[in-house]
Amino acid sequence: MQGFLLLFLALLCLSNGQSLQDIQQRLTAFQHINQTTVGKPLAGFINSALHEADLPLSAITSQITGNLLTVKCSTLLGSGATVSSTYHFWMNGNTLAMDFQFEMQGSIQNVYTSLTHSPSLPQSIQGLSTASGSWLVSGVSASGGPLGTGVGLTIQGTSSVVGGKLLSAVQKVTPKGTTQVPGHSSVFIPNLNASDVILNFTTTDSFTLSKSLTLNYLELLVQKPFEVTFSIHLLAAVSQQSLEFALTADYDSSSSSVKFSGDLLSQWQHPLGLKWLTLLSGDATFVIDNKYNMALSLEAQSQLSWSSHPVTVDISLSGDKFEDILFEITNIAEAQNVAAMFAAVSGKTAPSVLSEITTATGTLAISTYATGNFREGFNFLVDATLTSGSLLKAAQVLDKQATPSTFNYAFTLYVPIFASQKDIEISLKETGSPFTVVGPLVCSDFTINIDVNSGNSNIVIDADLSNKLKDGTVLQYTVSADWEESSANSVEFKGVLSTAWNNPFGWSWMIVESGSDIDLKISTTSFDLTFDGTVQFPWSFGMSSEIFIEIGGPQMADAVFAIENFPLNTLSLDTIFQYIIGSVPKEINGLNPQGTVSISIATWDSSKVPLGFTLNGQVTVTDAGSGDLWKALSLLSADPSTITFTWSFNIALFGSNPTQLELQFSESGAYHWTKEVEIDQYTLDVKVGPQSSFAVTANAALHLPEQSTPLQFQISSDFEITDPSFSFTGSLTNWVHPWGQKWFNLTSLQLSIDIGSSTSVSLSGDADFLIKGDKGTADASISVQPGSASLSFDIDNHWTIDQLTETVLGKSAAAVVKDIETKAALKIGFSLSTSEGITFSAIGNVTGTLAQEVKHVSYWWDHPGNCFGISVSIPIFSAAPEDLTLALDVTDPYIQISDHFWFDSTTFSISVAPFAISLDAKVKAQFNKNPVLYFEVDGTFKTDGTALVWGAMEGTWDNPFGIKHFDLSNVILQIGFNPADCATSACIADLGLGAEMEFAKSTVTFDGNVAIPDLWDIFFSGSYKKKGQAVAVTDVIDQWNAANTAQISKVGIPESWGINDASFYFAPINGQFGPLHYAAGFGVTGDLTILDMNIFMSMNCTEASGFSCNFAFDISVPPHEFSELLKKELHLMYPDQTEFTVFKLVNVGLGEWSQQNVAATTNPRWQIGLEILNKVHNLDFRVDQSELSGSFHDFFVKWLKHLF
């Protein structure tokens, strides 16, 4: 009854209004928060916030301070959890308000669901970590309470962004690879509407975005449904200074970037170390994209040291370290104070000429890198004009009438504040229309530069100029000049040709490249213009050449072009003519220009070079196949390619006949047309036309062997190139004592040098001679050949050869000359050869002592009526001219020695000091079963008539002894003559041969003898050139098989079988040579190893059929060696025995062994007779051929051991 009364009284009080004290009393009394203790409105708030109609309390303490009741207690939640709680109650006007705060454990998702009973989580909460933690839960029924949170429910705690859209948003502004961000989360449910949730996530961790950017603070505000706003503090390290920005941005998941905006939080003092600049404040923009590219820009209010009020600066920063910085100020009002600006920025005194510049509003830019509009450093650009002064006078160099109002300029001040090694630049660029400088010279624009790096502030003028030539071409130049007021009347510009000069004056074959160096001198009334540059011709095939060009002529519209050291070859020379006149003149065919040439081209008749195209240089002639000029030079020299000519030609491009060609060739040095003809001055004039003509003059010296001084002639010739040859002619009155011969002179000499396919030199004249007091005259001719000369004429048979010889020698000749008898009515021929001396020749015979001397060597042709062709040779150019020789040519052309042996063209030479007779003859020989052979032999006879002559065969001895495909080389013949053998063998005592043959992979040397007296049969024996060389049996067979169709079998021949000390032979018939019996044909002998025995064998053709051979082996088994091997075997059988007298070898032999038999399966046959213990055993058996290459032991075991 008492409890009911209290409840009634409480309800009565609530109905009549309540105070904080009332609330305090009821909470203390009832220890519940419900409609009874706090009233219906607040109980409804609790129920909406916590879904609890009644909250049991315990351990209550309370305190009223002013308008605030604070209750601390433990609260039992509906989940069964007891939490420490704090409740605040206050009067919000006439309405009671409250808030509460307590902690809950669990994940943010569980706490949210437990409090709101919401079936789903907001997207913002889904992205937070699900880890369990402690969460502070706050509820506020009205504003103005001590918690300071909004009206509604707030859940606060530590959490991390780990996924979902929330992580995607965070990753937009955090470093690459971020997978979670720790921080503080505050979930606010305004007005307790669970579907309207606001997440505030903050982190105080810093993030390094780049080398220069750090994110110091990050806050995300996420509203329904998923609207994200970023708030950040950005720290930028710029040029060793730190700038801090407070920036915000809205998140757009569909955008590839996030754009922040906000404020610079402090002043930027002296950015980049520029003491004349301070940034006071600024609005910043920061952009970061999906690829992590970042850009920072700023619009700042700044202060310039020379300005009285702030200016607006636009700043952009980029690069990994934000090292690329651009400050830009447009429409700067301080442009008039250029001098103060210069001084502040450069730290130098401003040039005085800056006071002559009037400027308008300009643009100022400071850049740490080169942009499209500004260079690295300080840039100031402004429109300007000039007042009177030095700068105006500089402009008057190009426009004599210029006034301050004539030109407008773009003024540029550039200070390389970040590169001390660069120069400050101040320039005024004229921006008006083109104007005339002087004559045809036009200026399109110019720039006045002020050099402030020198103490005097020099002025440099840059200009773009042009002038028009008479062909309509406009040349454009970029030039520059250092200007001084003291030399203003004449200024020299240097520069380059701005554009290529294509096809000057319509010449398709010429291009002057851009970049040529210009030299321009401008005076008051005229200008001089030259330039050195590079030119391209089609005949230089892509290579450029240096060129000098001078602009001139009456109207300064002409040009002279000069090219020095131009490399020229045959191809480029032909191309020159193809381009200039449209064809290659035949007169220049075959020229090969040497090294470089000089070329000049003039469009007017300058005093320096002729009008037209002129070329000067040196050439040789290399093409013997074409061209009139080559033909002409070939007529002058055996090999024109050995001569270097100085030459020139001119094509009169601007004359009445622009294709007229004139050439001139000269050779001033001494040179030899031939070894004998020397030219020391030579001129060839060529006049090119429909029929070109050639004229040649030269000084010639004729050098003759054995003549100490040359003969001098003046020669000349005019010729047409259609004539394949022509002649130089010249004359000489008298040649006294030619070659030192005092008995005759040559007079009225005419020199003829015939030029054609080859050069020939000849002279003709009269020979006046005096012999033994009698005079004579003859027609003489001299033929000059390379290295020799010969004079010849005939002398009437009025004198003997003895008298003529004595005249030449100046003393009596050898006695044998007196024994020469010439035939009457025949002339004596005289010839003088510089290589052999003087020769007198006639037909006659020998008599007296000489006849007796030659009798013993003339046994083959000594018969009545025979005579000789006699010649006496006097070696006048030797140290002993009296040592003359006689030659007796046998007039019988053919002398047969035997049926198969002949002499042909036989000559006996007789030397008088000492007396000797030698033979020189051609021998024809035919041996049995061999072709006809020819030999050239010579030798000297002894006093007894014997002689040994020898010589080599002409050609190769093919198919010797009828064996086809065998060849003998290096064949020599040796003949021994003996008068004692004339009756039996035609005086031939011995006839031997030698030869070589390639056989079985090596060289065999043969020696042979011919059977005397018929000189028909021959035997050749040979051995390897390399001593001790063995020949494989298989190689012998291979050699034979390679040369013959009838093949020899190698069946059963071991590769290891070699014939030691091999000998070879050729023979036409069967015979015997010493102990060797041989068969006709070819054979090999030597030692062969059989059954460990070194056995002599011969291998030859025993059953020859045609040129086939069975290669039979003729084997002689040595009995003693066979017996010794038997004893060794018995020792092996009976090692205790020391003597073996129990057997005796009666006979042993190996026969019927040939490759023909082996091929027919008939093996070699052994026949052995043995007497063992007085009993005779006759063995007869055949063995396989391969067994013969085995050991004697194996042979013994198989065939003989059973007998013992």
Side-chain angles (χ1 to χ4, degrees):
M1 186 66 180
Q2 185 179 3
F4 176 78
L5 179 61
L6 292 174
L7 177 61
F8 173 77
L9 290 174
L11 294 173
L12 179 63
C13 290
L14 290 174
S15 64
N16 293 328
Q18 52 187 336
S19 65
L20 295 178
Q21 290 79 6
D22 296 333
I23 298 297
Q24 183 182 29
Q25 291 176 1
R26 286 192 292 273
L27 291 175
T28 302
F30 294 101
Q31 294 190 359
H32 281 268
I33 293 179
N34 52 29
Q35 186 174 337
T36 300
T37 57
V38 296
K40 184 176 182 178
L42 292 182
F45 164 71
I46 290 295
N47 190 44
S48 297
L50 301 177
H51 296 279
E52 300 281 355
D54 182 80
L55 291 175
L57 308 178
S58 61
I60 298 174
T61 61
S62 62
Q63 181 181 355
I64 297 176
T65 304
N67 188 38
L68 178 67
L69 169 61
T70 301
V71 180
K72 295 181 179 294
C73 62
S74 295
T75 303
L76 177 64
L77 299 178
S79 61
T82 300
V83 296
S84 296
S85 309
T86 299
Y87 299 90
H88 297 108
F89 297 88
W90 69 93
M91 296 302 297
N92 186 20
N94 296 323
T95 305
L96 186 62
M98 72 171 291
D99 63 25
F100 60 84
Q101 193 173 64
F102 57 82
E103 289 185 359
M104 294 184 67
Q105 299 298 317
S107 68
I108 181 61
Q109 293 85 357
N110 291 338
V111 172
Y112 174 83
T113 302
S114 174
L115 293 174
T116 64
H117 291 195
S118 175
S120 60
L121 294 172
Q123 292 183 3
S124 58
I125 296 179
Q126 292 177 16
L128 295 176
S129 170
T130 60
S132 178
S134 179
W135 295 90
L136 184 64
V137 180
S138 302
V140 179
S141 67
S143 60
L147 294 184
T149 58
V151 176
L153 185 65
T154 302
I155 305 170
Q156 301 178 65
T158 299
S159 184
S160 297
V161 176
V162 294
K165 288 186 176 180
L166 193 60
L167 180 61
S168 297
V170 171
Q171 288 173 337
K172 285 279 190 179
V173 296
T174 55
K176 288 182 180 179
T178 299
T179 58
Q180 69 175 16
V181 179
H184 183 269
S185 298
S186 176
V187 180
F188 176 55
I189 304 171
N191 300 316
L192 303 179
N193 182 0
S195 63
D196 186 8
V197 176
I198 298 174
L199 171 65
N200 185 279
F201 178 85
T202 60
T203 178
T204 56
D205 286 355
S206 61
F207 299 94
T208 300
L209 301 181
S210 71
K211 295 177 180 179
S212 300
L213 288 181
T214 302
L215 193 63
N216 276 352
Y217 171 80
L218 170 63
E219 177 182 349
L220 278 78
L221 181 65
V222 186
Q223 303 187 70
K224 175 185 177 182
F226 194 76
E227 296 177 357
V228 181
T229 300
F230 295 108
S231 295
I232 63 173
H233 278 190
L234 188 67
L235 190 65
V238 180
S239 185
Q240 299 181 348
Q241 292 177 293
S242 182
L243 306 178
E244 188 172 5
F245 302 89
L247 307 172
T248 63
D250 292 332
Y251 168 68
D252 183 356
S253 61
S254 63
S255 175
S256 61
S257 62
V258 180
K259 182 176 181 180
F260 290 88
S261 61
D263 299 321
L264 175 66
L265 298 182
S266 61
Q267 289 188 356
W268 189 358
Q269 294 284 342
H270 309 315
L272 308 180
L274 305 176
K275 297 186 180 303
W276 41 268
L277 175 63
T278 298
L279 272 62
L280 305 175
S281 63
D283 297 327
T285 300
F286 172 65
V287 179
I288 181 170
D289 65 14
N290 289 344
K291 295 183 179 180
Y292 219 57
N293 297 313
M294 288 167 279
L296 180 63
S297 60
L298 186 66
E299 183 181 277
Q301 293 299 305
S302 305
Q303 184 67 54
L304 300 171
S305 65
W306 63 83
S307 175
S308 60
H309 57 273
V311 295
T312 301
V313 181
D314 292 324
I315 306 170
S316 65
L317 300 95
S318 59
D320 289 345
K321 297 181 179 179
F322 284 123
E323 68 275 10
D324 295 335
I325 306 172
L326 174 63
F327 296 77
E328 186 173 0
I329 307 172
T330 57
N331 299 320
I332 183 171
E334 311 303 330
Q336 290 290 349
N337 199 359
V338 174
M341 179 189 299
F342 177 90
V345 175
S346 68
K348 298 182 179 182
T349 303
S352 60
V353 292
L354 291 181
S355 62
E356 302 174 13
I357 302 172
T358 302
T359 60
T361 300
T363 297
L364 183 152
I366 306 157
S367 181
T368 63
Y369 64 103
T371 71
N373 299 319
F374 305 108
R375 290 184 287 176
E376 178 185 352
F378 177 89
N379 301 264
F380 177 60
L381 311 173
V382 67
D383 293 334
T385 57
L386 297 178
T387 62
S388 297
S390 298
L391 296 178
L392 179 61
K393 292 178 181 179
Q396 289 172 344
V397 170
L398 298 173
D399 185 352
K400 308 300 181 186
Q401 309 302 320
T403 66
S405 60
T406 302
F407 299 114
N408 294 318
Y409 300 89
F411 174 79
T412 299
L413 168 62
Y414 169 69
V415 183
I417 57 177
F418 305 119
S420 59
Q421 70 275 17
K422 293 184 179 179
D423 295 334
I424 298 174
E425 297 179 18
I426 304 177
S427 64
L428 290 150
K429 183 176 179 61
E430 180 270 328
T431 59
S433 302
F435 59 91
T436 298
V437 179
V438 59
L441 192 63
V442 174
C443 177
S444 56
D445 62 74
F446 67 90
T447 301
I448 300 174
N449 300 286
I450 303 170
D451 181 6
V452 299
N453 295 289
S454 62
N456 298 325
S457 299
N458 292 340
I459 294 175
V460 178
I461 305 172
D462 297 332
D464 290 325
L465 306 175
S466 63
N467 72 301
K468 188 174 183 180
L469 303 180
K470 69 181 182 182
D471 68 339
T473 300
V474 176
L475 298 181
Q476 296 179 338
Y477 321 110
T478 299
V479 296
S480 180
D482 293 331
W483 179 81
E484 294 181 3
E485 191 169 349
S486 59
S487 58
N489 291 332
S490 180
V491 180
E492 182 175 3
F493 286 85
K494 302 286 187 180
V496 295
L497 180 65
S498 301
T499 59
W501 185 0
N502 295 321
N503 312 132
F505 301 98
W507 303 325
S508 62
W509 38 266
M510 184 174 178
I511 296 176
V512 180
E513 297 177 351
S514 61
S516 299
D517 294 329
I518 301 297
D519 191 341
L520 171 65
K521 295 178 182 178
I522 300 177
S523 62
T524 304
T525 58
S526 64
F527 68 93
D528 296 325
L529 177 58
T530 61
F531 49 93
D532 294 305
T534 52
V535 63
Q536 283 192 11
F537 296 113
W539 52 79
S540 59
F541 307 107
M543 300 293 290
S544 297
S545 300
E546 295 182 359
I547 188 171
F548 175 80
I549 304 174
E550 178 182 357
I551 303 300
Q555 305 299 323
M556 293 298 288
D558 285 284
V560 170
F561 305 85
I563 301 98
E564 297 291 336
N565 301 317
F566 182 84
L568 191 67
N569 56 34
T570 302
L571 178 59
S572 52
L573 177 62
D574 290 348
T575 309
I576 287 176
F577 283 100
Q578 287 283 5
Y579 275 91
I580 295 179
I581 64 176
S583 62
V584 179
K586 63 180 182 298
E587 286 77 13
I588 67 103
N589 285 351
L591 289 184
N592 182 11
Q594 296 296 296
T596 60
V597 298
S598 62
I599 298 174
S600 66
I601 311 167
T603 65
W604 93 99
D605 195 3
S606 166
S607 59
K608 298 178 180 178
V609 295
L611 179 70
F613 185 101
T614 304
L615 183 146
N616 295 276
Q618 291 185 319
V619 293
T620 59
V621 184
T622 59
D623 185 358
S626 62
D628 288 349
L629 185 58
W630 163 260
K631 294 176 183 178
L633 294 174
S634 296
L635 298 175
L636 302 174
S637 172
D639 185 3
S641 65
T642 62
I643 303 174
T644 299
F645 297 93
T646 300
W647 70 307
S648 67
F649 69 79
N650 174 265
I651 303 173
L653 293 172
F654 299 96
S656 58
N657 181 6
T659 61
Q660 177 65 51
L661 173 63
E662 296 181 2
L663 300 98
Q664 186 179 62
F665 292 79
S666 63
E667 212 299 320
S668 58
Y671 70 98
H672 286 266
W673 274 349
T674 67
K675 182 178 180 181
E676 292 75 23
V677 179
E678 181 183 17
I679 302 298
D680 60 12
Q681 184 177 352
Y682 168 90
T683 302
L684 172 65
D685 293 319
V686 184
K687 186 175 183 180
V688 179
Q691 181 61 55
S692 297
S693 61
F694 300 83
V696 184
T697 59
N699 292 327
L702 182 61
H703 295 267
L704 298 177
E706 305 296 341
Q707 179 71 22
S708 59
T709 57
L711 304 180
Q712 301 291 336
F713 293 87
Q714 180 74 39
I715 59 175
S716 62
S717 179
D718 294 332
F719 59 91
E720 300 292 339
I721 201 60
T722 53
D723 188 352
S725 62
F726 67 96
S727 296
F728 280 99
T729 58
S731 61
L732 182 64
T733 303
N734 193 14
W735 183 7
V736 179
H737 305 325
W739 289 288
Q741 297 301 301
K742 297 182 179 180
W743 56 279
F744 74 95
N745 296 324
L746 295 176
T747 60
S748 302
L749 281 176
Q750 296 294 317
L751 171 67
S752 177
I753 304 175
D754 295 327
I755 309 297
S757 58
S758 62
T759 300
S760 65
V761 181
S762 62
L763 296 96
S764 61
D766 297 330
D768 298 331
F769 46 87
L770 178 64
I771 302 173
K772 295 293 185 178
D774 291 338
K775 293 181 179 180
T777 300
D779 294 330
S781 64
I782 299 176
S783 174
V784 181
Q785 302 297 330
S788 66
S790 59
L791 165 66
S792 63
F793 52 84
D794 291 333
I795 302 175
D796 290 338
N797 196 7
H798 178 68
W799 298 276
T800 66
I801 289 181
D802 178 43
Q803 292 174 318
L804 296 173
T805 302
E806 184 179 345
T807 300
V808 171
L809 293 175
K811 59 182 178 179
S812 295
V816 294
V817 179
K818 301 182 184 299
D819 293 335
I820 296 174
E821 183 181 88
T822 59
K823 290 194 174 184
L826 294 178
K827 291 187 176 183
I828 297 176
F830 166 82
S831 66
L832 185 153
S833 169
T834 57
S835 59
E836 298 179 0
I838 290 177
T839 300
F840 295 106
S841 57
I843 298 296
N845 215 323
V846 294
T847 63
T849 302
L850 181 58
Q852 293 301 316
E853 292 287 351
V854 301
K855 183 175 181 62
H856 66 283
V857 298
S858 58
Y859 26 70
W860 295 308
W861 63 85
D862 188 10
H863 57 270
N866 200 1
C867 61
F868 298 99
I870 301 174
S871 62
V872 177
S873 296
I874 309 170
I876 61 171
F877 300 115
S878 71
E882 66 275 6
D883 293 343
L884 53 83
T885 59
L886 282 71
L888 306 178
D889 291 333
V890 178
T891 54
D892 283 348
Y894 219 54
I895 302 171
Q896 187 163 6
I897 304 302
S898 72
D899 291 340
H900 317 293
F901 206 79
W902 302 263
F903 280 158
D904 185 13
S905 303
T906 306
T907 299
F908 288 95
S909 296
I910 302 172
S911 174
V912 299
F915 186 85
I917 302 175
S918 59
L919 171 69
D920 188 349
K922 185 174 183 178
V923 173
K924 174 183 176 184
Q926 184 175 21
F927 306 118
N928 189 6
K929 293 186 179 181
N930 279 286
V932 176
L933 309 177
Y934 291 93
F935 299 85
E936 289 284 349
V937 299
D938 60 60
T940 302
F941 286 90
K942 297 181 180 179
T943 56
D944 61 358
T946 61
L948 183 66
V949 299
W950 68 280
M953 193 188 85
E954 298 176 353
T956 303
W957 190 342
D958 299 326
N959 306 326
F961 303 94
I963 301 176
K964 293 182 179 179
H965 308 297
F966 277 34
D967 298 316
L968 298 177
S969 59
N970 298 328
V971 183
I972 59 173
L973 173 70
Q974 182 174 285
I975 308 173
F977 291 108
N978 193 331
D981 295 318
C982 291
T984 58
S985 58
C987 308
I988 295 178
D990 180 64
L991 187 63
L993 290 163
E996 291 182 351
M997 181 179 73
E998 296 300 316
F999 184 83
K1001 304 177 182 178
S1002 191
T1003 301
V1004 179
T1005 301
F1006 286 95
D1007 292 316
N1009 283 89
V1010 182
I1012 297 174
D1014 57 2
L1015 307 180
W1016 175 241
D1017 291 322
I1018 184 172
F1019 177 81
F1020 253 171
S1021 65
S1023 61
Y1024 272 123
K1025 205 170 188 180
K1026 184 176 179 182
K1027 300 302 182 182
Q1029 180 176 347
V1031 58
V1033 174
T1034 53
D1035 285 346
V1036 176
I1037 296 175
D1038 286 341
Q1039 179 81 22
W1040 181 269
N1041 288 341
N1044 293 274
T1045 56
Q1047 299 290 287
I1048 300 168
S1049 172
K1050 293 193 294 183
V1051 174
I1053 300 292
E1055 291 289 338
S1056 61
W1057 262 357
I1059 302 172
N1060 301 311
D1061 297 326
S1063 298
F1064 306 84
Y1065 70 83
F1066 283 106
I1069 59 174
N1070 296 334
Q1072 180 178 358
F1073 185 76
L1076 176 65
H1077 295 270
Y1078 56 85
F1082 174 74
V1084 183
T1085 64
D1087 292 335
L1088 186 68
T1089 300
I1090 298 175
L1091 301 181
D1092 299 329
M1093 293 180 289
N1094 197 30
I1095 299 175
F1096 177 80
M1097 56 78 66
S1098 65
M1099 186 170 61
N1100 49 42
C1101 302
T1102 60
E1103 295 181 13
S1105 176
F1107 286 116
S1108 66
C1109 184
N1110 69 3
F1111 265 66
F1113 291 83
D1114 185 2
I1115 298 296
S1116 177
V1117 181
H1120 176 72
E1121 191 170 349
F1122 193 89
S1123 294
E1124 291 299 315
L1125 290 172
L1126 277 175
K1127 290 180 181 180
K1128 289 182 180 180
E1129 293 299 324
L1130 292 179
H1131 270 298
L1132 295 175
M1133 292 177 64
Y1134 307 103
D1136 295 333
Q1137 297 294 325
T1138 57
E1139 295 292 334
F1140 290 96
T1141 57
V1142 295
F1143 82 93
K1144 180 175 70 174
L1145 181 65
V1146 178
N1147 64 280
V1148 61
L1150 176 62
E1152 299 180 23
W1153 180 14
S1154 72
Q1155 287 307 102
Q1156 187 180 56
N1157 289 344
V1158 172
T1161 69
T1162 300
N1163 289 327
R1165 181 182 179 185
W1166 279 98
Q1167 291 177 307
I1168 304 172
L1170 283 170
E1171 182 181 334
I1172 303 173
L1173 298 177
N1174 299 320
K1175 182 180 179 180
V1176 176
H1177 300 270
N1178 291 312
L1179 304 179
D1180 191 339
F1181 57 92
R1182 295 183 183 271
V1183 297
D1184 188 89
Q1185 182 173 249
S1186 61
E1187 290 186 28
L1188 299 178
S1189 63
S1191 68
F1192 186 86
H1193 175 75
D1194 293 339
F1195 175 79
F1196 173 81
V1197 170
K1198 183 175 182 180
W1199 299 104
L1200 303 178
K1201 184 176 181 180
H1202 67 281
L1203 298 176
F1204 297 93

